[in-house]
Amino acid sequence: MEPHRARNNETTTTTRMAEALDPLRLAGAGTGGESVASAGWGAAVPATDAAREDLAPEPCRHCGEPCAGGGFRSGGHPFCCLGCQTVYSLLQEGGLTDFYRMGERPGRRASEAHAGRWAYLDDPAVARRLLDFEDGKLARVTFHIPSIHCVACVWLLEQLFRLHSGVGSSRVNFPRREVAITYAPGQIRLSELAALLDRVGYAPELTLAELDRAKPAPVRKLGLQIAVAGFAFGNVMLFSLPQYMGLDAYSGPRFRTLFGFLSLILTLPVLIFSASDYWRSAWASLRQRVLTLDVPIAAGLAALYAQSLWEVLSGHGEGYFDSLAGLVFFLLCGRAFQQKTHDRLGFDRDYRGFFPLAVVRRTAAGDESIAISKVQTGDRLVVRSGELIPADARLLAGDGCVDYSFVTGESDPVARAPGDHLYAGGRQVGGAIEVETVKPVSQSYLTSLWNDEAFRKNRDNTFETLTNRYSRRFTLAVVVISFGALAAWSLAGDPVRGLKAFTSVLIVACPCALALAAPFTLGTAQRLLARFGAFVRNGQVIETLARVDTLAFDKTGTLTAADSAGVRFDGAPLSPAQESRIAALCRQSTHPHARRLVRHLGAAGEGIPVTGFREVAGQGISAGVNGRLVVLGSRAWLAAGGVVISESPTPGSRVHVAEDGVYLGVMLLENRVRPNVDRLLVELGRNYELALLSGDHAHERERFAGWFGKSAALHFNQSPQEKLAFVRALQADGHCVAMVGDGLNDAGALRQGDVGVAVVEGVGKFSPASDVILDAARVTGLGRILDFSQRSVRIVRAGFLVSGSYNLIGVSIAAAGILSPLICAILMPLSSVTVVVFAMAATRLAASRSGLLSPASEAPRATSMPRS
Amino acid sequence: MEVIVILIIASLLLAGSFLGVFVWATRTGQFEDTTTPAMRILTDDPPATHTSNSLPPSPKTEPS
């Protein structure tokens, strides 16, 4: 343990400050890309040198935060903390101060890097899995850096070579928030490179999932397939035009044959390369005895090519090559339109995306940073403030104050004493603690949830789409009509014409427009939803959203916002002097309650010296402030100080306040419900069955019961397994369930639900595997999203109707045996274009009807999300 | 009319070379990221001279 963390010691402001400047602690606070933990501290840090000036808060030169309490000065610029000042001087040395001219506040609040934090990257096994390329002299690595957010970030990261001679070049991929760096391993080690990034405020995010993830091969095939089809389509159309316009009377039959053969050759790569996915998919669905839409498409393509081949080789005509190439081209365009995905939004993350890549192990030889995969049972680990407990463990030393909100949904951090059992996934929010692991990482309480069968089913490869349900009937109709035409003409004594009618029906019924209706509607819907702040995994999710009849909500982090907890004071109003004394005392503690109070009280109490600070974990804090003894904490803590409180305890988090032995009142810390949640629930209650699944205790039952209505099931103290089981039971009753949650404790229910909606506070934050990722500011727009999904599905159905009527016209022409390439060449693109225009326009209209496009009352936070 | 044959060959060669350029551009990853270049063009490189003496100019080429 760090010696100065010992309890009950007499501390003055100076020694407190030394602790705050301890790089270890600040590094801990910065872990996970959040600087929340340091927010309270940074403001309270007075400078060690004479540079400190007591001025009105100026914006920090680097990060733009107000430099409360004076901060630092260097070169005439104010800085809020040592970290920011370090970044500035580093950039100044490298001649990169242009960085500050590029944006309002381009910098991210920096944290002093803990020198050993990245040491595990030098482990050859870890390095090998991270590096894209290495040849001894040069190496290339790609880091994911969630803090990349503006032009200045891109510029600074691409100028990295000016900060260290070992860095060759770096290239940023902004949408993916990645930087690829080429460096010389002889001059800079991987750990030093990561530390350099960390020092300038761009700490790479390295999680276990990152390491296990196979580098995805870039998807380039579809683009090439479209290019080949488009190339053939354009050229073949030119060769077909003379005949369509009757010009071959002038050019003669020689050219007709030449054009026919040219078209035949040009269409061959379309058939083999561009349409290859349709052959494969049709074959796969036939083998599984399912009629998907790809079956009639493949049949149509085959009929088109066979008919054209016969016409050209026998010299009867030119064939339908232009229609064939055009068909494939349109189909692939539809596919590309829907395939646009939100690259960096992890829809499939499991607990490994939540865990850090390395932990600090304490050995006889000292502390070392090791990869989390190497943690063994019995290891002694150091978990600093803001860090995760990676495996089930026993607390050895230090005051545990563990925030399980992400794992269990419990909103208040719990105090743990040495000897207590700690579950993996909790976040330590007090000082540093030392723990001994009792289970391997992969077998802890948290990770055992992933053994449920709900995680084994593959959600993406289902044939149960809207299109496929229609295509079954459609395919049957096509088969019946084509064989009927063949039989009818044969009976009438004209089997040649019958054969032509047979292929013609297959050709003209090729469901191009039908295949385009869903991709273009749902693709447009996906884009509009993304602009709204709801990111759906794929178009099929929208179909499921439209079927949902039951909504299950998590409470903590979903309906309530954990960070913006409100504070209410119950007692005689406090004077400003009293408030600043309380704030000054709270500033000395790292306890989350104290930090909440500091945030609540704002700038009060800055710079007031505190003497005789005492803190007892799980009890409270006390100190002399401006000559008065201020005591904050539990009833027992105040009672120990001679203040007896008579009132009966009501549930919730509370901090009692006493001054000089006089009871002042109690600070009530409430989890604030997101704005308009009450309205949302009442509104949804009219059309949906609602349920609440909370891991928290039931003290807020009354409040939520009013909003959820009488019939809703409210369940508290739910374990992750119980949540999953509840959703499963609802489904067994025939309900289509959407689960809305945010934490790992919801992971099972999100996965089991027909639709899992994960609520995130910002991009780059971890969210469990889900189908929809919803910006927290848009939770109240859930009703609009569901409404829009239903409208979108109706539009898809209408699109089917439109394309169906075109098919009806085409098929009646074909069955009569009078189909010509010209009719085909007009009908096919016309139907496709109509359906596409209809789908896109109607979806946009539906979005504005659902209120998705109207400027909402909430500020659109979605701008920080990657645009689709 | 035989001149059409030459024209056809010329046009196919031209269109084919465009297709070839597109294939090459896709293969080399030029369509992977279409957002960042638009941001990059807004910024200037700072002058190559800098105060720190430990920073020789670095090669800007990437290994293929």
Side-chain angles (χ1 to χ4, degrees), chain A residues 219-244:
Chain A
V219 189
R220 295 168 179 169
K221 199 177 163 201
L222 187 62
L224 294 178
Q225 284 176 328
I226 293 177
V228 168
F231 166 76
F233 179 41
N235 283 290
V236 173
M237 199 158 62
L238 286 178
F239 296 141
S240 313
L241 269 181
Q243 203 194 13
Y244 292 161

mmCIF file of all heavy atoms in Angstrom, chain A residues 219-244:
data_model
loop_
_atom_site.group_PDB
_atom_site.id
_atom_site.type_symbol
_atom_site.label_atom_id
_atom_site.label_comp_id
_atom_site.label_asym_id
_atom_site.label_seq_id
_atom_site.Cartn_x
_atom_site.Cartn_y
_atom_site.Cartn_z
ATOM 1 N N VAL A 219 -13.841 -5.426 -46.528
ATOM 2 C CA VAL A 219 -14.870 -5.899 -47.450
ATOM 3 C C VAL A 219 -14.767 -5.084 -48.732
ATOM 4 O O VAL A 219 -15.215 -3.945 -48.781
ATOM 5 C CB VAL A 219 -16.267 -5.747 -46.834
ATOM 6 C CG1 VAL A 219 -17.294 -6.444 -47.699
ATOM 7 C CG2 VAL A 219 -16.293 -6.305 -45.436
ATOM 8 N N ARG A 220 -14.129 -5.657 -49.717
ATOM 9 C CA ARG A 220 -13.956 -4.920 -50.964
ATOM 10 C C ARG A 220 -14.663 -5.623 -52.108
ATOM 11 O O ARG A 220 -14.810 -5.071 -53.179
ATOM 12 C CB ARG A 220 -12.467 -4.828 -51.301
ATOM 13 C CG ARG A 220 -11.697 -4.017 -50.296
ATOM 14 C CD ARG A 220 -10.223 -4.207 -50.512
ATOM 15 N NE ARG A 220 -9.461 -3.415 -49.552
ATOM 16 C CZ ARG A 220 -8.170 -3.544 -49.368
ATOM 17 N NH1 ARG A 220 -7.483 -4.405 -50.076
ATOM 18 N NH2 ARG A 220 -7.544 -2.803 -48.481
ATOM 19 N N LYS A 221 -15.078 -6.856 -51.877
ATOM 20 C CA LYS A 221 -15.565 -7.671 -52.982
ATOM 21 C C LYS A 221 -16.810 -7.057 -53.611
ATOM 22 O O LYS A 221 -16.918 -6.999 -54.833
ATOM 23 C CB LYS A 221 -15.878 -9.070 -52.447
ATOM 24 C CG LYS A 221 -15.951 -10.104 -53.549
ATOM 25 C CD LYS A 221 -16.184 -11.480 -52.958
ATOM 26 C CE LYS A 221 -16.665 -12.425 -54.037
ATOM 27 N NZ LYS A 221 -17.349 -13.582 -53.466
ATOM 28 N N LEU A 222 -17.733 -6.580 -52.764
ATOM 29 C CA LEU A 222 -18.995 -6.078 -53.287
ATOM 30 C C LEU A 222 -18.756 -4.899 -54.233
ATOM 31 O O LEU A 222 -19.369 -4.813 -55.297
ATOM 32 C CB LEU A 222 -19.905 -5.661 -52.129
ATOM 33 C CG LEU A 222 -21.325 -5.279 -52.518
ATOM 34 C CD1 LEU A 222 -22.045 -6.446 -53.155
ATOM 35 C CD2 LEU A 222 -22.092 -4.789 -51.302
ATOM 36 N N GLY A 223 -17.851 -4.021 -53.866
ATOM 37 C CA GLY A 223 -17.539 -2.871 -54.718
ATOM 38 C C GLY A 223 -17.045 -3.327 -56.084
ATOM 39 O O GLY A 223 -17.455 -2.801 -57.119
ATOM 40 N N LEU A 224 -16.171 -4.334 -56.081
ATOM 41 C CA LEU A 224 -15.638 -4.834 -57.345
ATOM 42 C C LEU A 224 -16.731 -5.507 -58.162
ATOM 43 O O LEU A 224 -16.792 -5.357 -59.383
ATOM 44 C CB LEU A 224 -14.502 -5.818 -57.070
ATOM 45 C CG LEU A 224 -13.256 -5.212 -56.435
ATOM 46 C CD1 LEU A 224 -12.223 -6.277 -56.152
ATOM 47 C CD2 LEU A 224 -12.675 -4.147 -57.346
ATOM 48 N N GLN A 225 -17.608 -6.241 -57.475
ATOM 49 C CA GLN A 225 -18.704 -6.909 -58.186
ATOM 50 C C GLN A 225 -19.610 -5.888 -58.861
ATOM 51 O O GLN A 225 -20.023 -6.064 -60.006
ATOM 52 C CB GLN A 225 -19.525 -7.750 -57.202
ATOM 53 C CG GLN A 225 -18.830 -9.039 -56.802
ATOM 54 C CD GLN A 225 -19.609 -9.812 -55.767
ATOM 55 O OE1 GLN A 225 -20.293 -9.223 -54.933
ATOM 56 N NE2 GLN A 225 -19.500 -11.127 -55.804
ATOM 57 N N ILE A 226 -19.897 -4.804 -58.150
ATOM 58 C CA ILE A 226 -20.735 -3.752 -58.732
ATOM 59 C C ILE A 226 -20.033 -3.125 -59.923
ATOM 60 O O ILE A 226 -20.634 -2.865 -60.968
ATOM 61 C CB ILE A 226 -21.077 -2.683 -57.673
ATOM 62 C CG1 ILE A 226 -21.973 -3.275 -56.601
ATOM 63 C CG2 ILE A 226 -21.749 -1.482 -58.313
ATOM 64 C CD1 ILE A 226 -22.309 -2.323 -55.493
ATOM 65 N N ALA A 227 -18.720 -2.892 -59.781
ATOM 66 C CA ALA A 227 -17.961 -2.264 -60.863
ATOM 67 C C ALA A 227 -18.007 -3.123 -62.121
ATOM 68 O O ALA A 227 -18.275 -2.620 -63.219
ATOM 69 C CB ALA A 227 -16.522 -2.055 -60.419
ATOM 70 N N VAL A 228 -17.796 -4.425 -61.960
ATOM 71 C CA VAL A 228 -17.808 -5.320 -63.121
ATOM 72 C C VAL A 228 -19.202 -5.341 -63.751
ATOM 73 O O VAL A 228 -19.348 -5.235 -64.980
ATOM 74 C CB VAL A 228 -17.371 -6.746 -62.700
ATOM 75 C CG1 VAL A 228 -17.645 -7.744 -63.801
ATOM 76 C CG2 VAL A 228 -15.900 -6.744 -62.339
ATOM 77 N N ALA A 229 -20.245 -5.437 -62.908
ATOM 78 C CA ALA A 229 -21.606 -5.482 -63.439
ATOM 79 C C ALA A 229 -21.953 -4.171 -64.139
ATOM 80 O O ALA A 229 -22.550 -4.171 -65.222
ATOM 81 C CB ALA A 229 -22.601 -5.764 -62.311
ATOM 82 N N GLY A 230 -21.551 -3.049 -63.548
ATOM 83 C CA GLY A 230 -21.849 -1.748 -64.141
ATOM 84 C C GLY A 230 -21.135 -1.574 -65.468
ATOM 85 O O GLY A 230 -21.709 -1.077 -66.452
ATOM 86 N N PHE A 231 -19.878 -2.010 -65.501
ATOM 87 C CA PHE A 231 -19.087 -1.932 -66.739
ATOM 88 C C PHE A 231 -19.766 -2.717 -67.854
ATOM 89 O O PHE A 231 -19.969 -2.222 -68.961
ATOM 90 C CB PHE A 231 -17.690 -2.498 -66.440
ATOM 91 C CG PHE A 231 -16.859 -2.802 -67.654
ATOM 92 C CD1 PHE A 231 -16.258 -1.782 -68.369
ATOM 93 C CD2 PHE A 231 -16.672 -4.113 -68.056
ATOM 94 C CE1 PHE A 231 -15.492 -2.069 -69.478
ATOM 95 C CE2 PHE A 231 -15.908 -4.404 -69.166
ATOM 96 C CZ PHE A 231 -15.314 -3.380 -69.885
ATOM 97 N N ALA A 232 -20.177 -3.942 -67.539
ATOM 98 C CA ALA A 232 -20.825 -4.783 -68.542
ATOM 99 C C ALA A 232 -22.182 -4.196 -68.935
ATOM 100 O O ALA A 232 -22.534 -4.143 -70.118
ATOM 101 C CB ALA A 232 -20.986 -6.201 -68.001
ATOM 102 N N PHE A 233 -22.913 -3.729 -67.945
ATOM 103 C CA PHE A 233 -24.249 -3.174 -68.184
ATOM 104 C C PHE A 233 -24.178 -2.022 -69.187
ATOM 105 O O PHE A 233 -24.891 -2.006 -70.203
ATOM 106 C CB PHE A 233 -24.821 -2.698 -66.841
ATOM 107 C CG PHE A 233 -26.177 -2.074 -66.920
ATOM 108 C CD1 PHE A 233 -27.172 -2.601 -67.738
ATOM 109 C CD2 PHE A 233 -26.482 -0.946 -66.161
ATOM 110 C CE1 PHE A 233 -28.433 -2.030 -67.791
ATOM 111 C CE2 PHE A 233 -27.735 -0.370 -66.217
ATOM 112 C CZ PHE A 233 -28.714 -0.905 -67.030
ATOM 113 N N GLY A 234 -23.272 -1.085 -68.941
ATOM 114 C CA GLY A 234 -23.144 0.081 -69.819
ATOM 115 C C GLY A 234 -22.804 -0.300 -71.244
ATOM 116 O O GLY A 234 -23.438 0.148 -72.201
ATOM 117 N N ASN A 235 -21.804 -1.167 -71.371
ATOM 118 C CA ASN A 235 -21.351 -1.520 -72.713
ATOM 119 C C ASN A 235 -22.368 -2.362 -73.461
ATOM 120 O O ASN A 235 -22.636 -2.129 -74.639
ATOM 121 C CB ASN A 235 -20.013 -2.257 -72.627
ATOM 122 C CG ASN A 235 -18.885 -1.288 -72.366
ATOM 123 O OD1 ASN A 235 -18.529 -0.495 -73.222
ATOM 124 N ND2 ASN A 235 -18.377 -1.325 -71.155
ATOM 125 N N VAL A 236 -22.968 -3.334 -72.773
ATOM 126 C CA VAL A 236 -23.931 -4.210 -73.440
ATOM 127 C C VAL A 236 -25.148 -3.405 -73.882
ATOM 128 O O VAL A 236 -25.711 -3.645 -74.954
ATOM 129 C CB VAL A 236 -24.329 -5.383 -72.513
ATOM 130 C CG1 VAL A 236 -25.450 -6.201 -73.132
ATOM 131 C CG2 VAL A 236 -23.131 -6.263 -72.239
ATOM 132 N N MET A 237 -25.507 -2.412 -73.076
ATOM 133 C CA MET A 237 -26.664 -1.597 -73.445
ATOM 134 C C MET A 237 -26.396 -0.864 -74.757
ATOM 135 O O MET A 237 -27.265 -0.753 -75.620
ATOM 136 C CB MET A 237 -26.973 -0.612 -72.332
ATOM 137 C CG MET A 237 -28.377 -0.048 -72.396
ATOM 138 S SD MET A 237 -28.906 0.562 -70.800
ATOM 139 C CE MET A 237 -27.722 1.832 -70.514
ATOM 140 N N LEU A 238 -25.138 -0.388 -74.913
ATOM 141 C CA LEU A 238 -24.792 0.297 -76.162
ATOM 142 C C LEU A 238 -24.893 -0.652 -77.343
ATOM 143 O O LEU A 238 -25.340 -0.273 -78.430
ATOM 144 C CB LEU A 238 -23.373 0.864 -76.074
ATOM 145 C CG LEU A 238 -23.217 2.101 -75.200
ATOM 146 C CD1 LEU A 238 -21.760 2.537 -75.169
ATOM 147 C CD2 LEU A 238 -24.085 3.233 -75.728
ATOM 148 N N PHE A 239 -24.482 -1.913 -77.133
ATOM 149 C CA PHE A 239 -24.551 -2.879 -78.231
ATOM 150 C C PHE A 239 -25.991 -3.259 -78.551
ATOM 151 O O PHE A 239 -26.296 -3.699 -79.650
ATOM 152 C CB PHE A 239 -23.752 -4.151 -77.878
ATOM 153 C CG PHE A 239 -22.291 -3.915 -77.705
ATOM 154 C CD1 PHE A 239 -21.561 -4.560 -76.719
ATOM 155 C CD2 PHE A 239 -21.616 -3.020 -78.549
ATOM 156 C CE1 PHE A 239 -20.213 -4.322 -76.567
ATOM 157 C CE2 PHE A 239 -20.269 -2.792 -78.396
ATOM 158 C CZ PHE A 239 -19.558 -3.433 -77.402
ATOM 159 N N SER A 240 -26.887 -3.116 -77.563
ATOM 160 C CA SER A 240 -28.275 -3.512 -77.802
ATOM 161 C C SER A 240 -29.079 -2.409 -78.473
ATOM 162 O O SER A 240 -30.070 -2.683 -79.152
ATOM 163 C CB SER A 240 -28.959 -3.875 -76.483
ATOM 164 O OG SER A 240 -28.146 -4.720 -75.734
ATOM 165 N N LEU A 241 -28.634 -1.169 -78.272
ATOM 166 C CA LEU A 241 -29.417 -0.037 -78.760
ATOM 167 C C LEU A 241 -29.745 -0.096 -80.253
ATOM 168 O O LEU A 241 -30.890 0.136 -80.636
ATOM 169 C CB LEU A 241 -28.705 1.280 -78.437
ATOM 170 C CG LEU A 241 -29.082 1.907 -77.085
ATOM 171 C CD1 LEU A 241 -28.340 3.211 -76.907
ATOM 172 C CD2 LEU A 241 -30.584 2.137 -77.010
ATOM 173 N N PRO A 242 -28.753 -0.424 -81.122
ATOM 174 C CA PRO A 242 -29.072 -0.428 -82.561
ATOM 175 C C PRO A 242 -30.294 -1.277 -82.877
ATOM 176 O O PRO A 242 -31.167 -0.863 -83.644
ATOM 177 C CB PRO A 242 -27.817 -1.014 -83.199
ATOM 178 C CG PRO A 242 -26.737 -0.734 -82.237
ATOM 179 C CD PRO A 242 -27.358 -0.740 -80.883
ATOM 180 N N GLN A 243 -30.382 -2.425 -82.228
ATOM 181 C CA GLN A 243 -31.519 -3.289 -82.537
ATOM 182 C C GLN A 243 -32.829 -2.722 -82.009
ATOM 183 O O GLN A 243 -33.839 -2.747 -82.685
ATOM 184 C CB GLN A 243 -31.286 -4.676 -81.952
ATOM 185 C CG GLN A 243 -32.103 -5.695 -82.701
ATOM 186 C CD GLN A 243 -32.189 -7.005 -81.981
ATOM 187 O OE1 GLN A 243 -31.849 -7.104 -80.809
ATOM 188 N NE2 GLN A 243 -32.633 -8.019 -82.698
ATOM 189 N N TYR A 244 -32.764 -2.195 -80.762
ATOM 190 C CA TYR A 244 -33.974 -1.630 -80.185
ATOM 191 C C TYR A 244 -34.515 -0.493 -81.043
ATOM 192 O O TYR A 244 -35.716 -0.287 -81.154
ATOM 193 C CB TYR A 244 -33.709 -1.089 -78.773
ATOM 194 C CG TYR A 244 -33.397 -2.162 -77.758
ATOM 195 C CD1 TYR A 244 -32.755 -1.832 -76.578
ATOM 196 C CD2 TYR A 244 -33.756 -3.492 -77.985
ATOM 197 C CE1 TYR A 244 -32.456 -2.802 -75.644
ATOM 198 C CE2 TYR A 244 -33.457 -4.461 -77.054
ATOM 199 C CZ TYR A 244 -32.811 -4.116 -75.894
ATOM 200 O OH TYR A 244 -32.525 -5.082 -74.974
#
